[in-house]
Amino acid sequence: MIDLAIIGGGPGGYVAAERAGAKGLSVVLFEKRELGGVCLNEGCIPTKTLLYSAKVFDYAKHGDKYGINVADASFDFGKIMVRKDKVVKKLIAGVGAKMKAHKVTVVKGEAMIKGRSSAGIEISCDGEDFCARNLLLCTGSEAFVPPIPGVREAGDIVVTNREILSLKEQPKSLVIIGGGVIGMEFASFFNSLGTEVTVVEMLPEILGGLDSEISKMLREMYSKKGITFNLSCKVTEIKGNEVVYVNAEGVQASAKGEKILMSVGRRAVTQGFGLENLGVETERNAIRVDSKMRTNVPNVFAAGDVTGFSMLAHTASREGEVVVNNLTGRPDVMRYNAIPGVVYTNPEVAGTGLTEEQAKKEGIAYKIVRLPMSYAGRFIAENEGGSGICKVLAGEKYGEVLGVHLLGNPCSEMIYGACLAIEQEMTLKEMEEVVFPHPTVSEIFKEAIFAMDI
C-alpha cells in the first residue's frame, strides 16, 4: 500500500513528492512526459534561459553606455536554442536525482484512476496496478486555443508556448495574440533579437491583473523599442499568416507575421486520467479545493494549475507542501495574499499583495508611495539610462504592508522580501527597523517607507 500517489510531475507534484519522501511517506509519482512539467520543459525555465540570452545581447549592443565597446555584437539563434535545451535537460536530471534521494518511485506513463476500493484508491499505469491511501492530482494546465475562424487552417504558422520553444529559425516577424505574461516575455525575447513584433490584446492594457500603472509604463518602454501594440482589439479571424481584428470603435484591421503566437491563457487539465471515476467536483473546468487543498472526495487532493486559481509554479509548489504537511501531522492552510507575480521582460516587473485597483474595489483604506528606482544608488550604477518605479501600499490605520509593485531590474530577486512582510503582517515601522545591505536595489523599500512619512 502506497501512502501517497501523485499524478503529474510538475512543480506541484515533484515538490510534494520530495517533501513527502523526506518525511518518510512511501510515494509514487506518475508523469507521462518529463519530470518538471510545463514549468521546467515548456515554460518558466526555457523562457528565462532565452530571455537571459536576449538580455546579454542587449548589454552587448549597448555596452558603450558602460564604457565597454563590443564591435558588431551578434547572436546565433541556433546556439541560443541549444543552450536552452541543455539547461532544461540538466534540471530534469536534477529533479530525478531528488526523487531518487528521497526514495520516490517515479513511473513514466499515463496514469488512469480506476476508482476506489476497500483497500484504497486504485490507479493503473503502463499495465501495472497501484493502490494508494491518498491521491494528489497535479495534472497542470495546457495552452488554450480559442476556436477562431481559420486557426486550424493556418497550420504550423500558429504556435503556442510549446511549439515556439522548438523553432529552428528566428521568425522575421511575429504576431502575438494576447498581451499577458507569456505573451510579453516572448515579445521581449524576439524584440531584442530584431524580430518585428506586434501584440494584439483584447483588454485596454497589457498584463491584466498586475498594477495598471506599471503595466502602462512597461508597454510604453517596449513601444519605444519597436513593438506595436493593438489594445482593446478582438481577433475575429486568421487568414494564413494574417491576424484580423476589430478595435474598440469597431474598425477592422490586421497584422501579418511569419509566425502567430497564441497566448490567450491556459486551462486546467481535468480530462483523460479518470477523474470522473472518483466523483471529484469541478468548477469552470478546474478542480474545487478548500484551503487545505482537499477535494470533495476524502483522501483526494489537488494542487497547481489544475485548481484553476493561481497558475504559477511557485503557487503549485506551496500548495503541494500544504497537502504533505497536513498528511504528516502539521496543520497548514494555503494563503494567497502574498503570491509574487513576476514578468521577466527587460526591465522586469514584480508585484505581490494588493494592487491599488484592488484596494479601491474592496474599499480598503490605504496610503501609497511611489518612488523612482533611481533612489537606489546601485540601480543607477547598473541601469544606465534606465527607469523604474517602486510602489508600496500600506493600511491607512495601522500601516501594515498591503502590496508592493516594482518595475526595474532586478526586481524578480527582490519581491520575496515584500512577500515576507505581508505574510508576517509587518507594519512600515517594523520594516523600518530592518537593516538592508548597501548598496543594493532592494534599499528602495527602505526609501519608500521613509517617504511614506510614518
Side-chain angles (χ1 to χ4, degrees):
M1 172 67 73
I2 300 162
D3 291 323
L4 178 62
I6 303 173
I7 300 179
Y14 78 73
V15 169
E18 180 186 4
R19 302 294 190 267
K23 293 185 177 184
L25 298 185
S26 56
V27 185
V28 61
L29 175 64
F30 301 99
E31 173 53 55
K32 62 182 180 181
R33 293 194 179 96
E34 297 288 347
L35 287 174
V38 170
C39 173
L40 201 163
N41 294 278
E42 303 165 10
C44 318
I45 298 302
T47 55
K48 278 46 176 187
T49 306
L50 296 181
L51 284 163
Y52 191 75
S53 290
K55 186 179 288 187
V56 171
F57 183 51
D58 282 337
Y59 283 138
K61 287 188 295 182
H62 305 294
D64 59 309
K65 292 181 179 180
Y66 304 89
I68 307 298
N69 297 316
V70 181
D72 301 321
S74 62
F75 64 89
D76 186 318
F77 187 78
K79 287 184 177 180
I80 289 174
M81 301 302 275
V82 167
R83 178 176 181 270
K84 176 261 299 178
D85 292 338
K86 183 178 72 173
V87 169
V88 169
K89 287 178 181 178
K90 184 174 183 178
L91 290 174
I92 290 174
V95 174
K98 285 184 177 182
M99 298 303 99
K100 186 176 182 179
H102 295 288
K103 300 180 181 179
V104 175
T105 300
V106 177
V107 179
K108 190 169 184 179
E110 196 157 358
M112 180 63 63
I113 301 168
K114 299 171 68 175
R116 185 189 293 274
S117 68
S118 57
I121 300 166
E122 305 288 345
I123 303 166
S124 65
C125 184
D126 198 26
E128 189 175 357
D129 294 328
F130 301 84
C131 186
R133 292 186 178 89
N134 301 283
L135 172 64
L136 173 56
L137 302 168
C138 299
T139 49
S141 65
E142 59 188 0
F144 173 61
V145 179
I148 299 171
V151 68
R152 292 184 180 276
E153 291 76 5
D156 61 5
I157 293 175
V158 177
V159 295
T160 67
N161 65 291
R162 175 183 292 181
E163 294 84 24
I164 201 167
L165 287 169
S166 300
L167 293 182
K168 301 300 181 185
E169 296 181 358
Q170 175 194 357
K172 291 185 175 63
S173 55
L174 175 68
V175 178
I176 300 175
I177 302 176
V181 175
I182 296 173
M184 281 306 302
E185 288 185 348
F186 278 113
S188 173
F189 171 69
F190 283 103
N191 171 256
S192 291
L193 300 189
T195 295
E196 181 184 320
V197 179
T198 302
V199 176
V200 181
E201 169 57 52
M202 183 182 292
L203 297 176
E205 190 53 88
I206 62 170
L207 301 176
L210 274 68
D211 181 273
S212 61
E213 181 179 2
I214 287 178
S215 296
K216 180 182 178 182
M217 290 177 66
L218 184 73
R219 174 176 54 79
E220 289 174 344
M221 288 178 177
Y222 270 97
S223 291
K224 291 178 180 177
K225 291 182 179 183
I227 294 179
T228 300
F229 291 94
N230 298 293
L231 305 178
S232 300
C233 293
K234 181 180 180 180
V235 175
T236 58
E237 187 180 6
I238 293 177
K239 296 180 179 179
N241 67 337
E242 182 179 14
V243 177
V244 182
Y245 58 89
V246 176
N247 65 20
E249 288 73 41
V251 177
Q252 181 174 293
S254 66
K256 291 184 178 181
E258 282 189 12
K259 291 290 182 181
I260 299 169
L261 173 62
M262 190 67 69
S263 182
V264 296
R266 301 184 64 81
R267 61 182 176 187
V269 175
T270 57
Q271 304 293 320
F273 56 94
L275 185 65
E276 63 279 1
N277 295 329
L278 288 177
V280 173
E281 289 182 0
T282 60
E283 184 176 11
R284 296 181 181 177
N285 195 50
I287 295 176
R288 292 184 60 183
V289 293
D290 63 11
S291 61
K292 294 184 177 182
M293 311 314 297
R294 298 176 298 192
T295 70
N296 64 301
V297 178
N299 303 102
V300 179
F301 307 82
D305 289 8
V306 73
T307 68
F309 188 72
S310 175
M311 291 189 173
L312 296 168
H314 42 274
T315 303
S317 296
R318 173 64 186 136
E319 289 171 340
E321 289 176 337
V322 167
V323 173
V324 174
N325 286 341
N326 283 292
L327 286 177
T328 54
R330 174 184 164 187
D332 198 1
V333 295
M334 185 65 200
R335 297 177 298 277
Y336 297 95
N337 61 318
I339 299 293
V342 180
V343 189
Y344 295 84
T345 46
N346 188 16
E348 298 173 345
V349 173
T352 189
L354 292 177
T355 64
E356 192 173 2
E357 294 80 15
Q358 289 171 328
K360 288 178 179 177
K361 185 177 180 180
E362 296 177 24
I364 296 173
Y366 67 93
K367 48 187 175 182
I368 188 171
V369 66
R370 300 170 175 82
L371 279 188
M373 279 290 193
S374 56
Y375 269 59
R378 187 169 174 183
F379 181 83
I380 295 176
E382 296 183 353
N383 295 273
E384 180 66 31
S387 60
I389 189 173
C390 170
K391 293 179 66 173
V392 177
L393 280 77
E396 189 172 67
K397 186 175 182 180
Y398 301 108
E400 72 278 17
V401 181
L402 298 176
V404 175
H405 306 279
L406 307 164
L407 169 64
N409 298 330
C411 64
S412 64
E413 297 291 346
M414 296 160 47
I415 197 63
Y416 80 93
C419 297
L420 183 61
I422 295 172
E423 275 283 354
Q424 297 299 313
E425 299 181 339
M426 293 180 71
T427 65
L428 296 180
K429 286 187 180 296
E430 289 171 330
M431 281 199 71
E432 188 183 35
E433 297 173 8
V434 176
V435 178
F436 286 74
H438 176 79
T440 59
V441 183
S442 64
E443 287 178 288
I444 193 71
F445 291 146
K446 193 98 168 183
E447 295 288 347
I449 292 166
F450 179 75
M452 199 171 279
D453 190 25
I454 60 173

